[in-house]
Amino acid sequence: MLVVTRKKDEKLIIGNEIEIQVLRIGRDNVRLGIKAPAHISIYRYEIYEAIKNENVSAVTSQTAVTSQIPDKDTLDKISKGMKVE
């Protein structure tokens, strides 16, 4: 982790595309402005974590659903019962 000290209106550049500027410094918080290309998503950390947890929940609930496709043994039993003469 890079730790830097910045004053109001000072900036940081990440790569060639992301610019972070200190807009206001309060007692308990700092207001930052972030400029980034549209293809880069920017989230507050707690929102990012919520999205990530929802995605994990969705994947695990989908895999927990039983498949509608019969297994090999069931298919073999069905095909033996349906022999064409």
Side-chain angles (χ1 to χ4, degrees):
M1 174 187 297
L2 171 66
V3 179
V4 296
T5 302
R6 300 275 75 201
K7 295 179 182 177
K8 185 177 182 284
D9 296 325
E10 292 183 332
K11 299 177 183 180
L12 297 171
I13 300 293
I14 300 174
N16 293 323
E17 300 180 311
I18 301 171
E19 179 180 303
I20 301 172
Q21 181 176 359
V22 178
L23 301 176
R24 186 184 74 196
I25 302 171
R27 284 186 174 193
D28 294 331
N29 60 35
V30 175
R31 180 169 288 200
L32 301 173
I34 303 169
K35 287 184 187 177
H39 70 275
I40 296 177
S41 299
I42 301 172
Y43 300 105
R44 293 188 335 248
Y45 184 77
E46 61 273 14
I47 300 298
Y48 172 77
E49 285 295 311
I51 292 168
K52 189 168 75 169
N53 290 338
E54 282 296 317
N55 288 341
V56 169
S57 295
V59 168
T60 55
S61 68
Q62 284 179 348
T63 56
V65 174
T66 57
S67 175
Q68 297 297 314
I69 300 170
D71 60 18
K72 184 181 181 317
D73 292 335
T74 304
L75 286 173
D76 288 343
K77 289 176 187 174
I78 292 170
S79 65
K80 286 178 184 175
M82 298 176 62
K83 296 230 179 200
V84 178
E85 296 180 15

